[in-house]
Structure formats: C-alpha cells, structure tokens
Amino acid sequence: MDGARPEAVEYDAVVLGAGPTGENVADRLRAAGLSTAVVEGELVGGECSYWACMPSKALLRPAIARAEARRVPGLRQAVQGPLDAGAVLAHRDDNTSHWKDDGQVAWLDSTGARLYRGVGRLDGPRRVVVDGPGGERHILTARHAVAVCTGSRAVLPDLPGLDGAGAWTSREATSAQAVPGRLVVIGGGVVGVEMATAWQALGSRVTLLVRSGGLLPRMEPFVGEQVADALTEAGATIRWDTSVTSVEREGGTGPVTLVLGGGERIEADEVLFATGRAPRTDDLGLETIGLEPGSWLPVDDSCRVEGSEWLYAVGDVNHRALLTHQGKYQARIAGAAIAARAQGVPLLETDRWGAHSATADRAAVPQVVFTDPEAAAVGLSLAEAEAAGHRVRAVDHDIATVAGASLYGVGYRGRARMIVDLDREILLGVTFVGPGVGELLHSATVAVVGEVPIERLWHAVPSYPTISEVWLRLLETYRQE
C-alpha cells in the first residue's frame, strides 16, 4: 500500500461477525432492502458451524446411537464393539466442511450482503475499520446501525503453568484429529458433560473434575444425577469438590500433569477446560465510543445497546442467552427493528408478531444437552420459580412407566417435571431427562411460551405409544394431588 487513507464506503448497516447470528441479521436487513456489509475475521458460519454445535453433535450422535442400540433386545449383541473412531472423526470433518466456508460464503453472497474479510473494529460512532489480509484496509460507515455479532470465546482460568501447556478449550475438543488415551475434563456444565460423553465413547479414559455442585447445575438436580450415573457406568471417573491449582507440561508436548487442591497429581494426555465464556469484545474498538473493551453489551428488547441510537449487540455478546438458536431469534428481532427504524416505522411493543421485541431469550429459553441420557429443559426450574416468588408446584413422573419407553429397549431411565404456577394454572418450566427426550422439548416450549392453561393441555392428546404420553401422566398426577 502507498499509505494513502482509503475512502470510506457507506452502507445502511454494518454487521460485525458472520456466525449464525450475524448471517441472520444480514439476511433480514437485505430482505428489507437495506445495503449491508458483513465483516468476518475467521470463517463465515462462525463458532457453531466449525467448533461448537455441528462438530460436537457429530461426535456425540454415534455415542448416543450405540448406547440406545445396546438397550434393544436383538440388536445389543451386534453393537458391543468399539466405535470406529476414524470414521466418526471423518464424519465430523464432513459436518464442518473440513473447516472451509465456501458454502456459507455462497449463501451470504446470495443475500446481496457484501462480505469483508478481516478484523473489524469500531472507530467512533457508525464507523468501522477493517484490517484485511495482505495489509489491505477498508473504512465502512453505517447510515443506520452497526450490529455487533462477534459471539463469545472460551475462558481459561489463571493457573500457574497453564500458558503454553496446550490445554484444550471447546474448540480443540471438537476439532481434535486423534483420540487421547487419557482426557481430563474440568467443569460440569454443558460443554464438559457433552465432551466427556463423546470422548469416553471414542475410547478415551475420561476423568471429570467438578469443583462444586453437581453436573449441569442450571437444570433440575435430578438431571445432573442421571447424567453422572450414566457417565460413570460408561467408564468415566467423576471427582467431586475438586479444584486444580497448577498445570505442568514440558514444552507443550507429552503428558500433562494437573496438581489438585490437596497436592495430588493427575497425569493425562490432554486436558479440557470447560470453565465458562467471555464476550469477543476485547479488540473491538469499544473504547472509541465510550464503552469498556472486553465487556458484555447490555441491550433493550430490540437488541439495541443501552444508551445508543445506532449500536446493536446480538447473540452471545449481550449475555441474554448464550445459545445459537437464541442468537438467531435475536437476529430476527434486531434485523426487523433496524429496518423499521431506518424506514421511520414506529416500533410497537404490541405489534401482531412481536417482531421488534425479544422476550423468548429471557422467559422461556429451551436447551437440549446431547448426553446419554439426553437432558432438555425450558423455562424455570423449581428453585428459580421459588426464588422469583411464584407459588408453584413441581409435578414429576417417571418416563419409564410410559408405554412408549419400552420401545427404547430394556432399562429405560428417565424423568419429567413440570413447574405449575398455582395462581394462573399455567406452566413456568418443564424438564426432561432420558433417551429421546430432546424431541419432546418443543411441545414444552409451546406450552410455556404460549402460557397454555392446564385445562387446555388436558385436551392436547399425545400419540400412543410414544414417550410424549408422559404429558398425559404429568397432567393426571397434577389433578390427583
């Protein structure tokens, strides 16, 4: 370059980040006729496509399918051998498009949005500087909005020896090209239990270290108990109330040694830290608009950053619900809100579709954990409902007693719980754990989001013989108590 400052290119909106959230914001903006630039420093498709949802579920599906097959008479003897780890990893690679984003780029191009490769940073109000490959630089300005959709990153604790130890985060755990003989997983949340499930099934000897509480602490306690039992039966070791004080690994290669709180030392081939997320806002230029680098960005229900007329934060960065489907939901809301404001259309909180106001990322967030058994929940747990001051009743039922559970084979274990608001007689939350329960979750989400009266749910007849008949049993239990 000759050092000349490039001329600014103006768009109606600039989107920072081309993961699922950013892609959907751009799609909505283009559908509304707004010129849109999208800036991405890594792969179009983001974390979910290459290092989270898709590769993790590709690793987990063979483990879950084999576990379910082993419970079915007439089939169990045929599936007693080990998984073909090479085939599983190859299928995972196919699901990530081998970490190439050509297909995602083609889709983004089809919307009419302009893609800029490089690191985008804010440079004052409505202005973005993009440092691209080969030293090229672009300056983009936004007439109406800049949408920050940069997601979140894994957080590593501040431990002696951890730097340079080659520890895994969720990225390495979902993209590793070989099965470690011994894997230590630190953390009992979703990433920890899913990756412990996957790698144990692929042949690793997994040790799961949990500092406090049980597994999956944001769900009902019985969920973590059943997942812990299943992991232990599969051969994993779970160490409770265990903390790590330091990490040792010479030259970043060879075995890694973890020093525990009591001085005990554990050796493994790899260690995964699944210990939380932080927003990708530390190198975003937030300081140029009076915001703190590295901070979460609080927003209103249209995903507009509090105190701003033009800045939006959509998906993980606003810390409302760190889930891909919730980020895409917010993207639809934010895209519609930006377009309406750009066109001078008032945002009505009571518009027919609620198109400009995100609510489902606070009141009724659904999530499936793809372990064996599966865990699925939406809305409030019993503890959360009581803490919020609701007068509630928890209604439980053993899914194994439902006729459809017998079709899953011998030894089905599962449990369902619904949290009933006794004053309004609607559901505030529903939780399932057991094989196949992920497919029950959307019915629960509709019931919770729609605030369907229990007297109407009684007339929503589940098909026989499916495990969805647990709905009937839950309602019967509620009426009898």
Side-chain angles (χ1 to χ4, degrees):
M1 295 180 61
D2 59 9
R5 188 174 179 83
E7 292 187 10
V9 181
E10 188 176 54
Y11 292 88
D12 289 322
V14 177
V15 178
L16 296 177
T21 299
E23 288 178 320
N24 277 272
V25 172
D27 184 42
R28 293 302 166 117
L29 295 175
R30 288 297 303 135
L34 301 186
S35 60
T36 305
V38 179
V39 182
E40 177 54 60
E42 291 187 288
L43 296 175
V44 174
E47 200 80 10
C48 176
S49 297
Y50 306 104
W51 300 287
C53 316
M54 297 308 294
S56 67
K57 282 25 173 206
L59 291 173
L60 284 159
R61 181 57 193 153
I64 294 170
R66 183 181 65 171
E68 292 184 348
R70 285 178 170 176
R71 290 188 279 267
V72 179
L75 181 58
R76 63 175 64 167
Q77 295 305 319
V79 289
Q80 289 304 312
L83 293 174
D84 183 338
V88 173
L89 297 179
H91 180 61
R92 184 272 319 270
D93 294 352
D94 289 341
N95 273 267
T96 62
S97 300
H98 299 266
W99 291 275
K100 296 180 181 178
D101 62 2
D102 300 27
Q104 301 263 21
V105 170
W107 178 87
L108 188 61
D109 287 344
S110 74
T111 69
R114 168 69 190 277
L115 173 63
Y116 288 85
R117 296 276 195 180
V119 178
R121 299 181 180 88
L122 292 163
D123 186 30
R126 304 174 190 265
R127 185 180 179 91
V128 173
V129 175
V130 182
D131 290 314
E136 65 181 25
R137 169 168 285 194
H138 303 278
I139 298 176
L140 314 177
T141 60
R143 295 184 189 93
H144 302 294
V146 174
V148 177
C149 309
T150 48
S152 63
R153 58 178 174 80
V155 173
L156 288 172
D158 184 15
L159 289 177
L162 186 56
D163 288 346
W168 281 7
T169 66
S170 54
R171 281 200 169 193
E172 290 77 19
T174 57
S175 62
Q177 293 297 314
V179 178
R182 300 163 299 172
L183 173 66
V184 172
V185 179
I186 300 171
V190 176
V191 172
V193 297
E194 286 193 344
M195 290 298 92
T197 299
W199 289 108
Q200 176 71 33
L202 286 168
S204 288
R205 296 193 301 279
V206 171
T207 300
L208 185 61
L209 306 183
V210 183
R211 185 169 60 182
S212 60
L215 302 186
L216 300 172
R218 295 186 179 181
M219 290 186 167
E220 299 283 9
F222 63 81
V223 173
E225 291 168 5
Q226 290 208 16
V227 172
D229 288 346
L231 276 170
T232 301
E233 290 169 9
T237 299
I238 303 177
R239 303 271 307 261
W240 306 103
D241 301 317
T242 302
S243 60
V244 177
T245 59
S246 65
V247 181
E248 300 173 4
R249 193 177 208 169
E250 290 294 330
T253 60
V256 58
T257 300
L258 306 176
V259 181
L260 306 184
E264 182 184 354
R265 300 165 72 87
I266 297 179
E267 187 176 273
D269 298 291
E270 301 291 352
V271 56
L272 162 62
F273 282 87
T275 49
R277 309 286 297 178
R280 290 182 178 272
T281 59
D282 46 331
D283 189 27
L284 199 60
L286 291 181
E287 68 279 1
T288 69
I289 55 171
L291 296 176
E292 182 181 351
S295 63
W296 302 102
L297 299 175
V299 297
D300 63 20
D301 283 346
S302 70
C303 294
R304 187 165 62 177
V305 173
E306 294 176 358
S308 176
E309 293 296 317
W310 57 273
L311 185 64
Y312 292 72
V314 194
D316 282 14
V317 289
N318 63 36
H319 207 229
R320 285 167 69 115
L322 277 66
L323 295 162
T324 296
H325 47 280
Q326 295 298 140
K328 293 166 72 172
Y329 164 73
Q330 291 177 9
R332 298 191 291 270
I333 299 295
I338 293 168
R341 288 178 172 132
Q343 296 161 0
V345 177
L347 269 62
L348 302 177
E349 293 183 1
T350 56
D351 69 321
R352 179 184 173 199
W353 289 89
H356 307 136
S357 182
T359 57
D361 54 1
R362 290 181 290 127
V365 177
Q367 182 175 19
V368 178
V369 183
F370 293 86
T371 46
D372 175 48
E374 284 183 346
V378 61
L380 302 179
S381 66
L382 175 60
E384 290 169 337
E386 290 177 337
H390 297 288
R391 193 170 70 91
V392 296
R393 178 188 301 166
V395 181
D396 291 3
H397 196 80
D398 182 356
I399 302 176
T401 65
V402 175
S406 66
L407 303 179
Y408 279 76
V410 177
Y412 188 104
R413 284 180 290 179
R415 185 173 171 184
R417 167 174 287 181
M418 64 182 191
I419 306 300
V420 181
D421 183 322
L422 295 176
D423 295 317
R424 294 188 291 164
E425 286 214 310
I426 61 172
L427 303 185
L428 298 180
V430 182
T431 299
F432 305 104
V433 61
V437 300
E439 298 300 335
L440 295 178
L441 187 59
H442 193 59
S443 60
T445 302
V446 171
V448 174
V449 172
E451 298 184 346
V452 181
I454 284 183
E455 64 182 19
R456 292 303 306 153
L457 285 176
W458 182 253
H459 298 282
V461 182
S463 296
Y464 181 89
T466 69
I467 59 171
S468 63
E469 206 176 17
V470 73
W471 278 108
L472 174 59
R473 304 304 171 214
L474 286 167
L475 294 168
E476 287 176 336
T477 303
Y478 175 68
R479 292 183 66 177
Q480 293 164 3
E481 289 180 350

